Amino acid sequence: MAIPSYATRGERIWHYVFLGICALIFLFLVGPLLIIIPLSFNAQPYFTFSQKMLTLDPDGYSLRWYQEFFTSSAWLNAIKNSFIIGIASTILATVLGTIAALGLSSRNMPARGAIMALLISPMIVPLIISAAAMFFFFSKVNLAQTYLGVILAHTALGIPFVVITVTATLSSFDTTLIRAAHSLGANPTRTFFKVVLPLVTPGVVSGALFAFITSFDEVVVVLFIAGPEQRTMPIQMWSGIREQISPTILAVATMLVLLSMLMLTTLEMLRRRGERLRGLTPG
């Protein structure tokens, strides 16, 4: 952003100092990624840059750790479990969270503040407490060490993200559109699918992506609830660091970074689409 012509000398100096601080913070956050990604192509089984890598010798680089990932039954089973649990919990969290957000958006909803606080409590309560509570409860109902138990636990963790994003989308929703649809003879179901849902879709999809990321990256709850058959990729990485340190973890971390970047790009595109639908930005 350009500095206004009327800015004082002190304001100009602070502008450049502020840009420098932002650049340092960005480097601090991105710096570890700039190390992990090239190390994942190391031909040697080390977590440091070899002499050949530093001299950009092609022999110092290899795809062996990516090959080990795609040929290892343990890693493939872990990623399969992560996607199964992540997709199932995301669907449940999206449906339940959207319904809850629609209910909370109604002015006639009693105790909206208390219900909202209850729904987003999994984001506030320390995860270790939630995991311990889920473990004791699921153990009594025979859901511990089952896929259903892990899916339900991740659903509870993902619902707050869906509720918040959909509620934020509904805050700028023009309710006169609903009355207009009813006046034209549309029933509530048709009004929802033809009027409400298309306008809140960016918020729904954004919440679903956050719920999926939360499930895909979750470790603590899985440690408490899951059994050997429900071993997810984060648990596989955590176990690999404890039991056998292999650069395969760097390859997995690189792929997770790329997946996160893809999802963040999708979220930004959805945000801009939502603004265009609400008329906040020119099409």
Side-chain angles (χ1 to χ4, degrees):
M1 183 175 64
I3 304 176
S5 58
Y6 54 81
T8 63
R9 183 178 181 182
E11 290 174 341
R12 293 176 181 272
I13 293 175
W14 168 244
H15 175 77
Y16 291 110
V17 171
F18 179 74
L19 290 179
I21 294 174
C22 291
L24 290 175
I25 295 175
F26 179 78
L27 183 62
F28 175 78
L29 295 174
V30 179
L33 304 182
L34 299 179
I35 297 176
I36 290 175
I37 294 176
L39 279 178
S40 67
F41 297 97
N42 192 352
Q44 302 298 323
Y46 306 121
F47 283 78
T48 57
F49 290 97
S50 63
Q51 186 63 33
K52 290 185 178 181
M53 293 187 70
L54 295 176
T55 58
L56 300 181
D57 188 341
D59 293 335
Y61 296 86
S62 173
L63 296 174
R64 61 178 293 192
W65 308 118
Y66 292 90
Q67 181 180 3
E68 182 173 329
F69 170 78
F70 287 107
T71 56
S72 171
S73 59
W75 282 107
L76 292 178
N77 186 62
I79 194 172
K80 182 192 71 174
N81 287 337
S82 292
F83 275 106
I84 291 174
I85 295 171
I87 293 173
S89 62
T90 298
I91 293 174
L92 286 175
T94 302
V95 173
L96 297 176
T98 302
I99 294 173
L102 290 172
L104 291 171
S105 65
S106 175
R107 297 180 180 180
N108 300 323
M109 184 70 180
R112 282 193 299 174
I115 297 175
M116 186 67 172
L118 179 64
L119 289 174
I120 66 173
S121 60
M123 298 179 62
I124 303 171
V125 177
L127 199 55
I128 186 69
I129 297 178
S130 299
M134 290 178 182
F135 171 73
F136 285 114
F137 175 75
F138 287 169
S139 296
K140 292 183 178 180
V141 295
N142 296 324
L143 287 177
Q145 298 188 1
T146 64
Y147 281 100
L148 180 59
V150 180
I151 290 171
L152 292 177
H154 283 191
T155 299
L157 298 178
I159 284 178
F161 295 96
V162 181
V163 171
I164 290 174
T165 55
V166 178
T167 301
T169 304
L170 289 171
S171 63
S172 58
F173 181 76
D174 187 1
T175 56
T176 59
L177 296 175
I178 298 178
R179 292 196 294 270
H182 289 167
S183 67
L184 294 173
N187 57 39
T189 303
R190 186 174 180 82
T191 300
F192 173 76
F193 285 104
K194 294 294 184 179
V195 178
V196 179
L197 187 59
L199 293 176
V200 301
T201 293
V204 173
V205 177
S206 298
L209 287 176
F210 278 118
F212 179 79
I213 293 173
T214 301
S215 173
F216 203 80
D217 195 44
E218 212 286 314
V219 177
V220 180
V221 172
V222 179
L223 281 174
F224 274 81
I225 298 177
E229 296 181 356
Q230 296 84 41
R231 195 181 189 92
T232 60
M233 192 156 64
I235 295 299
Q236 182 68 23
M237 296 176 67
W238 183 77
S239 300
I241 293 175
R242 291 187 60 200
E243 299 169 3
Q244 53 176 2
I245 299 181
S246 170
T248 307
I249 298 175
L250 299 177
V252 177
T254 300
M255 289 186 286
L256 290 179
V257 169
L258 295 178
L259 178 63
S260 300
M261 293 174 61
L262 178 62
M263 290 190 171
L264 288 175
T265 303
T266 304
L267 287 173
E268 178 62 19
M269 294 173 62
L270 289 171
R271 184 188 66 82
R272 295 184 180 183
R273 179 180 181 274
E275 289 182 351
R276 288 198 300 269
L277 289 175
R278 296 194 299 271
L280 299 179
T281 58

